[in-house]
Structures are given as structure tokens and as C-alpha cells.
Amino acid sequence: MTDRLILCATARLAQTLRAAAPVGAAVWQMPRALTIGQWLTTLADEALLSGAATLPQVLDPFAELLLWEKVIADSLPESSSPLFDIQGMAASAAEAHALCRIWKLQPDSSQLSEEAKLFIGWQAEFARRCRTSAWIDVAGLHWQLIALIEAGHFSLPQTIAFAGFDRYTPLDHNLMAALTARGVTVENRPQTAVDRSNRQVLACPDVDAECAAVVAWAKTQLATNPACRLGIVAPDLAGVRDRLEFLLDDALHPVLIRPDAAEVPRCFNFSLGRALADLPLIRVALDLLALGSGRAKVEQSRLSELLLAGGWSAAAGEADGRARLDAALRRDLPYFTTLPALIRLAGRLAEFEPPLCPQTVAALATFGETAGAAPRKLLPGHWTSVFRNCLKAVGWPGDRPLSSHEFQARRAFGEVLDGFGQHDALLGPVAFAEAARRLSQLCRKRLFQPETRGQPAIQVLGVLESAGLGFDALWVMGMNDDLWPPPPRPNPLLPAELLRAAGAAHASAEVELDFAQRVHARLSLSAPEVTFSYSQADGNRVLRPSPLIAGIPAADETPGEVETLARQLAGEAASACDLIEDAMAPPVAEGEKVSGGSWLLRAQAICPAWAYYQYRLGGEAMDEPVEGLDPAARGTLVHEALEAFWTAVRSSETLAALDEANRQQAIAEAVAKALQSFELKRRVTLAARFRELEAARLEKLLDVWLALESRRGLAFDVIACEQPAEVEIEEIKVKMIVDRIDRLADGRQVIIDYKTGATVDTKNWAGQRITEPQLPIYAALVNDEVAAVVFAKVLLDKPAFAGVADEKDILPGVQGIGDDKQKIFDSAEFPDWVAVITHWRERLHAVAKEVKAGQAGVMFADEKALQYCEVLALLRLPERRRLLAQTVAGEDA
């Protein structure tokens, strides 16, 4: 017998005990510390090697889930199987089975719910298939090994100490009894006792403030004693991990902000690893494999993400070309597209300019050929070599050397691939897409934690991972009553009364309270100085402290603010730099072409910086793919349908002469022409059913709108649709398209701009900055015969004209200048139509002068007016808000 073994509640505690060095010792024997599962696995290996017992093949957690999926799927009618979340049901069944094993639960079949009866049937079939194939689940194997211990097998240590357990299960108790019966001295390793008087509670405004307080505390502790061991424990570690990690890195390692320092060891470590599938290098590999042969349609965004991602082919050398191909992909291909369509698009672009990213396109083509050459179905073990060949064909993992963490991730991915064949018997022959999906599931279940050297000063842990660990100071955050004690989560497939009676994990509020009290007492003994904290609010939701921290005195003082790198730089800038108000861009040079047309003057009127960045510098937002038609495309269809209709009908007289049948036929023909034109211009083919639905929508919309047109009191002829116009304002050429021009019987004209949105703004026409300038430009600077300018609100609900006219009754609902009901223009300032035209001319020239002079400041009256700004990021609105807040604070002081 070996002298002593320590069985630990967590792998982290076992690793910590093995790595602990006795004070002052130069040489020592490393303690043997393992989890119960690790130790029993060594006993299973010993039994197999010695021939003491023939044990079934143990199912790993993923294999067990696969078996549960097959059992449940086979129990459901084939027609209804797609309606169920079989993976979710399998996870619940596996958990219920484990609870029955570990807690020795035996449901009474006479008092079961329908769900529990289903589970009993699944469990019986699961056991039958395990017996047939000589498989066993992990908990079942542990019970068999305990029975072998009881039977006298294995060489056991003289003493076994259990460390870090907050509570024991019946399986644990049976193991202890079997060890005791074999003469092993069983000990419960006690928590190191510390003075519990130095405990305090800190209330924080919200989670962000709580994270900042934790980091400020850690920084102060390390500054006082660089050799101290600190612990940070959070019940909801996954929810605060990213915030904590960014703050710790920013406050404690500001000089490591450089990309080449991303893997430099830090003074903190998180117990919560990341799923292998979430690592960028592995995610790219899985996303590539998910394309399969590329023949199936996928969301355009998936191809876009791959083009912009590193880790395959010439990602570094062709980054610019890939970005340009991505822009073309967004512009020219539909929402659902294929890999061959992307390759053809790259070929078309190469006809007019040098190839954008030839190595990338060639790699994608080779990948598609390699994947397409594979048989339709293979066993998972055979797919392993196919997947490796596909990734090799596409140039994974890329054209640059891998970092240490990336190398470790690639090695872990290789291990998952190598082990894929272990599931041949459970999965059977599967298609490429299904094999790639199952591989992705395996990678999501494999947690990855890069190898680290030494013991970082700060350990960030969940409540379970903190078991048995001691610190010089400890901070326990997230002590809110909705998190601690944790809410009960009884398994839905087992009777709640049975779970409560056994005291099984998560069975009831009483069980969770008892567990939380045990953990809380243990945490209070984990360090001489323990701080508990909680958040007072989450947005508009008021939060309460956990009842378990009631009675602990409040903290005398709060940690100072976190001195992040951004704060340091802002402070240095404020003291060392002069703030210069620079709102002027270079003036428009002679001969310089300024794009944008009326949109340029619109953007200048709303925010000069918008106009400068977008129309003088050419900045624009990337196209965002949408399924079907976006609002802009639907608006374009309405414009084209109305253009087609009025091109054929031409006048109010012709419209009035149409009977119902002929009007509907004219509308249908206009809609069909609009859809055909739309498909030709966009180089897309709408699905037949979608085209039919869109045609019905357009026909109904035009029918409603034309009913309003029929009620116009004055006869008119439509003399132009989608009429181009050009005018020079302050030597800036402004081009625009007028949706429609009607001519009245007396020769005057009505200018119409179609709008398919519910909200239009005409009040700005009377202001100093005209933010809807297209109609005023035409009326004031292009055509002298205009009698009315209006927006046509082409809507199913409340269609209407909105605008202003020389006199009333020209259009339904449009008031004339000087009418009492006219609310846009003050009659005292604008007594007649001439005054309105003069105002427009002056204000348009004033805004054009700003453009010409180079005024480009971030100035606007209402931030909501920037809704359609494509260069919003360049306006740096958050920084502007911060500066304004500092100015206001300074004035108040």
C-alpha cells in the first residue's frame, strides 16, 4: 500500500495540492491528489490489466448523449420526430439517469407523471442497449468499481483523505464504507481555520461597478503585498467573465495591450475554460467544414465571416483583396447563396481588374472539389481523413506561424478528430453535413485552457471550483438573492417529491439553501480577509442582497476607481495636449467633383461632418444582407410600379375612364413590369411564391393609392416619371431624380416624391436648415412653374399627400400658403408662395456655401436625425457625449 491518497472535490484542488511546495523545503515528495473520478479510472485500468474483472466499455458523456438521442428518437413516431428537441430531451434524460445512479433513486412506477413514465421506458431501453453492446455509463462504472473494492480487489492506500467536499452523495458514502471495510483509514480533510472577524459587505450600483470594485481591490492588494494569493469567486462566473478579464488586463497589465503580447502570462487565471469550438482558429475550421461541398445554399453572412477571418489560405497576404471580395459579395449576391456562386463572382470581377485574392479563391475551389469527391455517407472515423484533406486543401491553419495558444488549440482539435471514430457504432454512416455538425458538438463540449506556468497571484473561480482552496484575501461577488442561493432546477423527468426526499442536487429551494449555506461557511474560512459584494440594480431592475450575507458588517470604505489605460491616457492628454476645435475641412477645390446630389445638402443640413465623410471622402456603410427584400428594395418596387402605371395611363382623365376590371389589369401589368425590371437590375430571381406574394402586396397598395389619386379635384397629366435634374448651387453640381411631375390644366406643375415610410418631415422646410431638400431644390432652383411640392405617402393605412401648395385644393389634404389650416409656414413671415421660394433659395445656397467652405463639424440638432447616416462611427458620438458631460460637470462645479 502507498501511504496516503487525497481525493479532492475538484480537479483544480487536486492540481493545487500536487503543486504546493512545503515552506523551506528544497526537495519533497509530491502528494498524491486526485478526484474520485480520476482515481476510480486508475482502478479500472488496473482491473483490466490484472484480469481481476472484465469491465464494460465506458461511455464518455458525448457518447452517452448520442445513445440517449437514438433511444428517444426510436421511441417517437417518425412523422413527429422533427417536432421535438431530441438533443435537449437526451440531455435531460442523461441527467435524470445520472441522478438515479448517484443518489440511488428508484421511482415508484404507480405514481409517475407521463414524462416520468416515458423516461422509465427510455431508461430500460438504454440499459438493454448497453448490455447488448457491453457499454456502461460513468456512474455505473463507479458503482462496479466500488463493488470490486468491497470484494477485496485492488491495492489500496493506508489512508485516504477526502478534501473540499461541500456535501457527499450516496455514491461517496458507499465508497467511504467500502474503504473502511477494507481497513483503510478514511479522513475528512478539514478546512483551515481562520479568524472570521474580518468580513465585510460592499453594495455596488450595478454589475459594472462591482467588477470595477473587485479589480481596484485586487490592484491595491498586489501593490501592498506582491506575493499575496488572492481569490475572486462569482456564482455567475460565465456572465461576468469577459468584463472581469478586460478590466483585470487593463488595470494590471496596461503595457500588454499590444497584439503581440496577447499570450504573455498574466497575474490572474480563470478556472472557467472556453469551449474549443469558440476559439477563432477552431471556429474557422468548423465553419469551413460546415460548408460541405458548397452546393447547398447558406446564409451570405457565413461566407462573409469566413472571408474576413484568418486561419486559412492567404489570410494575411490577401486580407485587402478578401475585404473587397466581401464587399462585392454583400452587394451582388442574395441572402442565401452558395460557395460556387462566390467563386463565380470572383471570376467575373477578375475580368475587369486584377484578381482580388487568387489564392483564396483557388483554395475555396479546391476545398469544394475535395469535399464533393467524398462518398455520400461514411462512418465518423472515415470522415476524419476527409476532413483533414479538406482543411489541408483550403490552407488551414493559414499562412502565418501559430502562436503558442493556437498551437495548443490545433493539437486539441487534432485529438478530437482522432477520437471521432470512437462514435462509429453509435452514429453509423452519416453524411458530410451531419458529420461536421457532430464534430462541432464535440468541440463545443471540449473545454480548452491554455497551459500556464506557475501559480498566478489571482485565481478567478466559480463557487464549486473554489472548494478546498485557501487565500490571503478573498472577494466573493454576485451575492444577490436571485443568484445566491441558486434557484432550484429539478429534473423534469423525475418526480419532484422523490428528488426532494433524497436531497438530490438542485431538487428544491431547501436543498439549494442548505448547499449555499455550506459553501458560504466554507468561503468564510478560506481567507483571513473576506469581502462579499452585490449589485443594487441591473438596468431598471432593482436587485436585492442575498439573505446569506445579512448581519455581516458593511465595508468601511470602497475601493478607489480603476486606473485603466484609457483613463491614464485621457489624463496625460488633458495635461500634455492642447484641445483644438477643428471643424473645418479643406474647401472644395476648383474642379473638384462632390457626389451625393440632394443627399449631400441633406447631410450637410443635419450634420456637416456626415456630409464631409460620406460625400467628399467617399465613406459608406457595407451592405447588410437581408432575407427577402429590405425596406429600401420594397420602396424601389413601389416607385417602379407607379412609374410603369403612369407611363401607361398618363393622366387623370384616363384613370377616371378605367372601369374596375381594366384598372386592376393596368395595375397588375405595372406590377409585373416593376418586378421584371427589379430582377434584371439586381441580377436576382425571386422565388416563385415570394414573387407572387410581393405582387399581391404591390397590387393592393397601388389600388389603395390610386383610389386617393382619383379624388383629386383638379385634372392633371403626368409629364414625367423618375425625371433626372441637375442644378449648380455655389458651383457645386447637384443631381437628383424627381419621382413624378404632374401638369395641371393651367400649365402649373406639381412635384411629387413617393414615400413608403409612415413618417415624413415637412416642418424643416420653414427652418434655417432644410433637411429634406430635394423638393425645395426643384421648386426653387430648377422649375419656375411649380404650384405644389408634396410627399406622396403610399401606404395601405392612411395614404395621403403631405406638403405645401401655392393655393388650397390643388391636392387632397394639402393646404395653400396663407390658409388658416396651413401649419408649416408662419403667414407673417411667409405671406405668399414667392416668399417660400425665396426662403428655400436662400437657405439652400447657405448650406451649399458651407459645403464649399469645408465646414465639417460634428454639429446636429437631434441625434435621431442621424438614423440613416452611413458614417456614424466616424462621428465619434460616445466621445462627444463624454466631453459634453465633462463640460457640464465643470460648469456645475
Side-chain angles (χ1 to χ4, degrees):
M1 287 189 182
T2 56
D3 292 332
R4 184 176 179 82
L5 169 69
I6 304 174
L7 293 181
C8 303
T10 67
R12 177 169 288 269
L13 175 58
Q15 181 182 4
T16 301
L17 293 177
R18 290 194 300 268
V23 177
V27 179
W28 66 94
Q29 182 178 358
M30 183 177 68
R32 191 180 178 207
L34 301 168
T35 65
I36 290 179
Q38 291 169 345
W39 181 59
L40 291 178
T41 299
T42 64
L43 295 186
D45 294 339
E46 181 182 333
L48 291 174
L49 291 173
S50 64
T54 302
L55 297 173
Q57 179 185 349
V58 64
L59 294 171
D60 62 41
F62 184 74
E64 185 180 349
L65 281 175
L66 290 179
L67 182 55
W68 280 109
E69 283 184 33
K70 293 179 72 70
V71 167
I72 294 171
D74 291 346
S75 72
L76 299 173
E78 187 174 349
S79 58
S80 63
S81 182
L83 302 176
F84 291 92
D85 176 15
I86 293 180
Q87 290 185 19
M89 296 166 68
S92 294
E95 180 190 59
H97 181 66
L99 287 169
C100 290
R101 287 278 207 190
I102 294 170
W103 293 87
K104 302 174 70 172
L105 304 179
Q106 295 181 342
D108 184 353
S109 58
S110 63
Q111 300 178 356
L112 297 180
S113 64
E114 292 300 318
E115 292 83 358
K117 290 178 181 178
L118 278 174
F119 168 68
I120 295 301
W122 296 339
Q123 192 178 37
E125 177 62 17
F126 179 88
R128 186 191 69 77
R129 296 192 186 193
C130 284
R131 287 193 300 271
T132 302
S133 302
W135 295 328
I136 193 169
D137 57 279
V138 174
L141 176 67
H142 289 177
W143 280 113
Q144 287 199 13
L145 291 169
I146 292 173
L148 290 175
I149 292 173
E150 292 174 339
H153 296 283
F154 309 123
S155 175
L156 301 176
Q158 294 178 351
T159 303
I160 295 181
F162 287 75
F165 289 85
D166 294 312
R167 62 182 171 191
Y168 293 106
T169 66
L171 187 148
D172 299 332
H173 286 299
N174 275 53
L175 174 60
M176 292 178 187
L179 294 172
T180 302
R182 288 284 306 277
V184 176
T185 301
V186 175
E187 299 176 354
N188 284 305
R189 196 167 184 263
Q191 182 82 25
T192 303
V194 298
D195 182 9
R196 298 183 57 179
S197 61
N198 195 6
R199 296 185 303 158
Q200 59 181 1
V201 171
L202 179 66
C204 300
D206 54 31
V207 176
D208 288 333
E210 190 175 9
C211 290
V214 172
V215 173
W217 165 83
K219 187 173 183 179
T220 302
Q221 291 282 343
L222 288 177
T224 304
N225 179 13
C228 66
R229 296 171 300 115
L230 304 179
I232 300 172
V233 174
D236 181 27
L237 182 56
V240 298
R241 174 185 177 137
D242 287 342
R243 276 177 283 196
L244 268 179
E245 187 169 8
F246 293 151
L247 272 176
L248 285 167
D249 210 32
D250 204 356
L252 302 179
H253 300 284
V255 297
L256 300 184
I257 192 173
R258 305 185 316 275
D260 62 348
E263 297 182 6
V264 174
R266 268 56 171 176
C267 68
F268 56 87
N269 175 260
F270 282 80
S271 66
L272 184 65
R274 296 189 184 275
L276 186 61
D278 290 337
L279 303 180
L281 189 68
I282 309 307
R283 185 169 63 245
V284 164
L286 295 173
D287 288 345
L288 285 165
L289 293 175
L291 294 178
S293 63
R295 291 187 290 267
K297 288 188 175 182
V298 298
E299 295 90 340
Q300 184 196 111
S301 58
R302 289 172 57 184
L303 294 177
S304 179
E305 289 174 3
L306 281 171
L307 282 176
L308 299 178
W312 64 280
S313 187
E318 296 184 341
D320 290 346
R322 283 193 187 189
R324 293 169 63 193
L325 180 57
D326 173 55
L329 162 70
R330 293 165 178 258
R331 182 185 64 242
D332 297 335
L333 294 185
Y335 181 84
F336 285 105
T337 188
T338 63
L339 183 58
L342 174 62
I343 295 172
R344 288 194 297 270
L345 173 62
R348 289 200 303 270
L349 295 174
E351 295 175 2
F352 305 101
E353 56 182 317
L356 297 178
C357 43
Q359 293 183 56
T360 295
V361 174
L364 288 174
T366 306
F367 171 83
E369 293 169 1
T370 305
R376 196 172 69 86
K377 287 190 175 184
L378 289 172
L379 291 171
H382 295 161
W383 279 120
T384 296
S385 60
V386 174
F387 288 166
R388 291 187 188 278
N389 291 336
C390 287
L391 292 176
K392 182 180 180 181
V394 83
W396 184 84
D399 57 350
R400 64 168 177 80
L402 298 181
S403 67
S404 172
H405 290 184
E406 288 173 331
F407 180 82
Q408 294 177 49
R410 182 187 182 186
R411 184 177 60 194
F413 181 64
E415 293 171 358
V416 174
L417 268 177
D418 291 338
F420 199 28
Q422 297 175 2
H423 308 294
D424 286 356
L426 283 166
L427 284 174
V430 292
F432 190 114
E434 176 65 9
R437 186 177 72 86
R438 292 298 189 179
L439 179 65
S440 182
Q441 287 180 342
L442 272 171
C443 291
R444 280 197 295 272
K445 291 186 176 299
R446 170 82 176 255
L447 290 181
F448 175 78
Q449 189 80 288
E451 296 174 2
T452 57
R453 294 180 179 179
Q455 287 291 330
I458 304 173
Q459 297 287 337
V460 188
L461 311 153
V463 290
L464 296 180
E465 290 83 3
S466 64
L469 300 178
F471 309 96
D472 296 320
L474 174 68
W475 187 300
V476 186
M477 63 181 299
M479 292 288 100
N480 289 96
D481 65 349
D482 60 333
L483 296 174
W484 196 249
R489 188 176 50 82
N491 188 283
L493 300 179
L494 293 174
E497 298 80 4
L498 181 67
L499 291 169
R500 285 196 293 267
H506 313 301
S508 66
E510 291 78 15
V511 169
E512 293 295 64
L513 176 60
D514 176 71
F515 168 71
Q517 287 173 333
R518 293 170 183 266
V519 173
H520 204 78
R522 183 247 300 164
L523 290 173
S524 297
L525 296 173
S526 296
E529 175 188 324
V530 181
T531 300
F532 298 93
S533 66
Y534 66 94
S535 301
Q536 295 174 311
D538 179 13
N540 294 326
R541 185 167 66 101
V542 176
L543 301 180
R544 296 175 299 187
S546 167
L548 295 181
I549 60 174
I552 301 177
D556 296 330
E557 57 183 25
T558 60
E561 290 189 355
V562 180
E563 188 68 13
T564 62
L565 180 61
R567 286 182 179 273
Q568 293 177 28
L569 294 177
E572 293 172 4
S575 60
C577 300
D578 294 328
L579 295 178
I580 300 175
E581 185 176 347
D582 184 11
M584 296 300 294
V588 176
E590 185 176 351
E592 178 183 344
K593 293 183 179 180
V594 183
S595 64
S598 62
W599 278 87
L600 166 68
L601 299 185
R602 179 178 187 270
Q604 183 74 24
I606 294 174
C607 176
W610 174 6
Y612 176 68
Y613 289 132
Q614 184 163 343
Y615 298 108
R616 290 193 62 192
L617 296 186
E620 59 182 7
M622 299 283 284
D623 292 328
E624 289 292 337
V626 295
E627 186 176 3
L629 299 175
D630 60 19
R634 290 179 182 274
T636 299
L637 280 171
V638 172
H639 279 66
E640 295 192 357
L642 286 169
E643 178 187 6
F645 180 86
W646 286 115
T647 300
V649 173
R650 304 302 301 177
S651 69
S652 59
E653 182 180 356
T654 307
L655 175 63
L658 294 174
D659 59 21
E660 181 64 22
N662 286 330
R663 188 173 74 161
Q664 293 301 326
Q665 181 180 352
I667 291 174
E669 290 174 354
V671 167
K673 187 174 181 180
L675 287 168
Q676 182 182 13
S677 173
F678 179 85
E679 290 179 321
L680 287 173
K681 291 178 182 177
R682 300 290 183 99
R683 289 184 293 182
V684 297
T685 301
L686 300 176
R689 179 56 179 160
F690 183 84
R691 198 178 196 277
E692 181 182 343
L693 292 172
E694 187 60 22
R697 182 190 76 88
L698 289 169
E699 289 172 11
K700 184 176 181 181
L701 184 60
L702 263 64
D703 189 41
V704 170
W705 176 251
L706 292 173
L708 176 64
E709 295 264 22
S710 301
R711 296 197 295 271
R712 289 174 59 173
L714 300 181
F716 63 89
D717 293 319
V718 178
I719 62 173
C721 290
E722 304 299 320
Q723 175 72 37
E726 181 176 327
V727 64
E728 189 172 283
I729 312 175
E730 298 296 330
E731 301 179 4
I732 296 175
K733 289 184 178 181
V734 177
K735 295 180 180 181
M736 57 187 179
I737 302 291
V738 178
D739 291 343
R740 187 170 126 204
I741 304 175
D742 291 356
R743 183 172 60 208
L744 304 178
D746 59 7
R748 292 180 300 167
Q749 296 180 5
V750 176
I751 313 303
I752 299 175
D753 188 14
Y754 296 128
K755 294 291 184 184
T756 53
T759 303
V760 295
D761 178 20
T762 57
K763 293 182 179 179
N764 70 90
W765 288 349
Q768 295 299 299
R769 307 187 72 82
I770 300 175
T771 57
E772 292 286 354
Q774 179 160 315
L775 294 177
I777 290 173
Y778 195 87
L781 302 172
V782 178
N783 193 326
D784 295 332
E785 299 177 342
V786 176
V789 291
V790 294
F791 291 119
K793 299 170 64 175
V794 186
L795 305 169
L796 288 174
D797 181 29
K798 297 181 180 180
F801 290 103
V804 65
D806 186 3
E807 59 188 48
K808 64 179 180 180
D809 298 331
I810 292 180
L811 290 161
V814 178
Q815 305 301 320
I817 294 296
D819 291 345
D820 294 337
K821 294 183 179 179
Q822 194 274 125
K823 303 297 183 184
I824 301 174
F825 295 93
D826 184 355
S827 59
E829 187 177 355
F830 304 97
D832 53 29
W833 185 248
V834 174
V836 172
I837 297 298
T838 302
H839 166 74
W840 284 345
R841 187 176 293 116
E842 291 175 352
R843 298 323 308 160
L844 291 169
H845 273 276
V847 172
K849 284 180 180 179
E850 291 183 6
V851 175
K852 185 178 179 181
Q855 290 191 23
V858 182
M859 299 176 290
F860 49 85
D862 184 359
E863 193 171 320
K864 294 179 181 178
L866 299 172
Q867 178 180 1
Y868 299 107
C869 176
E870 295 191 29
V871 291
L872 204 60
L874 298 179
L875 302 185
R876 298 162 67 180
L877 296 183
E879 181 178 347
R880 182 178 185 272
R881 296 188 199 105
R882 179 177 61 80
L883 292 174
L884 288 174
Q886 290 177 354
T887 301
V888 172
E891 292 174 352
D892 292 342

